[in-house]
């Protein structure tokens, strides 16, 4: 972010790099998030028609894919949360819906936050979310988490008590990672489960990871990835590339196995030392 807060710095290959109006808009939304005081109502973001159109287009198209490839729990929790399809949801209204479902709450952030802050907030049943919308020129692509990824990918799953508990346990586990290597091991397991996890359900491979569920393109190809059996040690020592469709995924044998084994890992992490390989 520039000192004047009237523009936002983006990588040269970002879709919005040459769009000064978009960068200025991103900066304005970020400044609103930065001014938020925890414990107060989240200020409304007056989303533009273009931003609402991007949300409507992407969420509608993703919903159709979810009917085919999302795990049952995701479909059910999404129905319970019932986010609007025609406009970008306000985080305050999302919190009002989540409060009665799992007690998780969303807090706005200006952009990417340090890993320890993001993970640690989960232990308090708080999810740190951006509020900006990806660039309209490529509605089905974003190089960094935006409000579509946050809400469609993560927050819909937080409407499930079972998965909300997993997120909370993940946050507690991250706080017990006392070294950079331990945090890296944890982060890789989080990536291959909470972000890009798949599970066998009714004889078919289904997605439960937020990175998959919020990616229009990835949902078309994830079942062609090299699928390995569930192995926490392998997850924690396997590197990944965030700039490409994931070529390697780890599948749980069932949702009950997934919840049991992932909860066991999170609950024990910090008591057993792990070191991530380079």
């Amino acid at each position: 972010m520039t000192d004047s807060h009237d523009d936002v710095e983006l990588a040269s290959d970002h879709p919005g790099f040459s769009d000064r109006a978009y960068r200025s808009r991103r900066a304005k939304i970020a400044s609103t998030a930065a001014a938020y005081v925890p414990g107060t109502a989240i200020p409304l973001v007056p989303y533009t028609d273009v931003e609402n159109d991007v949300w409507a287009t992407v969420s509608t198209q993703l919903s159709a894919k979810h009917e085919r490839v999302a795990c049952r729990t995701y479909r059910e929790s999404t129905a319970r949360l019932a986010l609007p399809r025609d406009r970008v949801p306000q985080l305050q209204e999302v919190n009002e819906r989540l409060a009665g479902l799992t007690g998780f709450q969303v807090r706005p952030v200006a952009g990417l936050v340090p890993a320890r802050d993001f993970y640690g907030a989960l232990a308090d049943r708080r999810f740190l979310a951006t509020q900006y919308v990806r660039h309209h020129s490529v509605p089905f692509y974003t190089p960094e988490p935006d409000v579509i990824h946050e809400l469609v990918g993560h927050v819909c799953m937080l409407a499930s008590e079972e998965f909300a508990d997993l997120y909370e346990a993940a946050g507690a586990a991250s706080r017990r990672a006392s070294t950079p290597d331990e945090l890296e091991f944890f982060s890789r397991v989080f990536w291959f489960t909470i972000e890009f996890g798949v599970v066998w359900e009714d004889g078919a491979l289904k997605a439960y990871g937020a990175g998959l569920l919020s990616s229009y393109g990835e949902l078309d190809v994830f079942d062609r990835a090299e699928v390995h059996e569930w192995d926490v040690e392998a997850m924690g020592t396997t590197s990944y590339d965030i700039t490409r469709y994931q070529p390697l995924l780890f599948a749980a044998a069932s949702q009950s196995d997934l919840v049991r084994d992932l909860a066991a890992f999170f609950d024990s992490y910090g008591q057993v030392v792990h070191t991530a390989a380079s």
Side-chain angles (χ1 to χ4, degrees):
M1 195 74 63
T2 60
D3 290 339
S4 63
H5 294 279
D6 62 357
D7 196 3
V8 65
E9 295 180 358
L10 300 175
S12 60
D13 60 350
H14 191 287
F17 176 76
S18 299
D19 187 340
R20 184 60 184 269
Y22 175 76
R23 291 164 59 180
S24 178
R25 175 67 177 156
R26 283 274 300 265
K28 184 175 182 179
I29 292 175
S31 66
T32 299
Y36 169 68
V37 178
T40 65
I42 300 174
L44 298 182
V45 174
Y47 289 107
T48 66
D49 288 343
V50 170
E51 290 166 337
N52 283 324
D53 285 346
V54 170
W55 168 272
T57 297
V58 179
S59 63
T60 299
Q61 292 297 318
L62 284 175
S63 178
K65 291 179 182 286
H66 292 157
E67 289 302 312
R68 294 187 297 104
V69 299
C71 72
R72 185 177 299 107
T73 293
Y74 176 82
R75 299 195 308 273
E76 292 173 348
S77 61
T78 297
R80 282 195 295 274
L81 191 58
L83 296 179
R85 289 274 174 80
D86 60 336
R87 60 176 176 82
V88 185
Q90 297 290 338
L91 296 192
Q92 182 61 31
E93 69 177 313
V94 173
N95 279 347
E96 291 168 2
R97 299 183 190 204
L98 273 178
L101 295 172
T102 65
F104 240 94
Q105 293 286 272
V106 182
R107 285 187 178 175
V109 291
L112 292 175
V113 298
R116 283 195 180 276
D117 293 346
F118 173 77
Y119 294 135
L122 300 176
D124 301 319
R125 291 178 96 82
R126 298 290 181 267
F127 184 85
L128 306 183
T130 56
Q131 293 171 285
Y132 63 84
V133 181
R134 61 194 61 180
H135 196 264
H136 58 84
S137 64
V138 281
F140 295 113
Y141 168 76
T142 178
E144 78 263 91
D146 73 333
V147 70
I148 297 175
H149 168 76
E150 313 283 38
L151 298 185
V152 174
H154 287 288
V155 175
C156 280
M157 196 61 100
L158 291 176
S160 158
E161 188 64 50
E162 201 165 44
F163 274 85
D165 288 347
L166 280 178
Y167 272 73
E168 180 183 4
S174 76
R175 288 180 173 176
R176 294 193 298 271
S178 59
T179 68
D181 281 347
E182 289 179 15
L183 185 62
E184 178 64 18
F185 188 99
F186 165 85
S187 295
R188 293 184 182 189
V189 174
F190 191 95
W191 176 267
F192 285 111
T193 56
I194 300 299
E195 289 287 358
F196 283 88
V198 292
V199 60
W200 291 105
E201 186 175 278
D202 300 327
L205 196 64
K206 302 291 186 177
Y208 70 88
L212 292 173
L213 292 166
S214 62
S215 173
Y216 181 88
E218 196 116 31
L219 287 176
D220 284 335
V221 301
F222 80 93
D223 57 353
R224 294 175 229 163
E226 182 180 340
V227 179
H228 288 206
E229 292 182 359
W230 180 274
D231 186 334
V232 166
E233 289 296 326
M235 293 180 203
T237 54
T238 299
S239 59
Y240 54 85
D241 182 354
I242 66 173
T243 66
R244 58 185 294 202
Y245 290 157
Q246 297 305 299
L248 170 64
L249 301 172
F250 292 87
S254 67
Q255 180 165 312
S256 60
D257 287 352
L258 155 68
V259 172
R260 180 197 65 217
D261 294 343
L262 192 52
F265 166 73
F266 289 148
D267 290 343
S268 67
Y269 199 67
Q271 302 170 29
V272 179
V273 176
H274 298 272
T275 302
S278 60

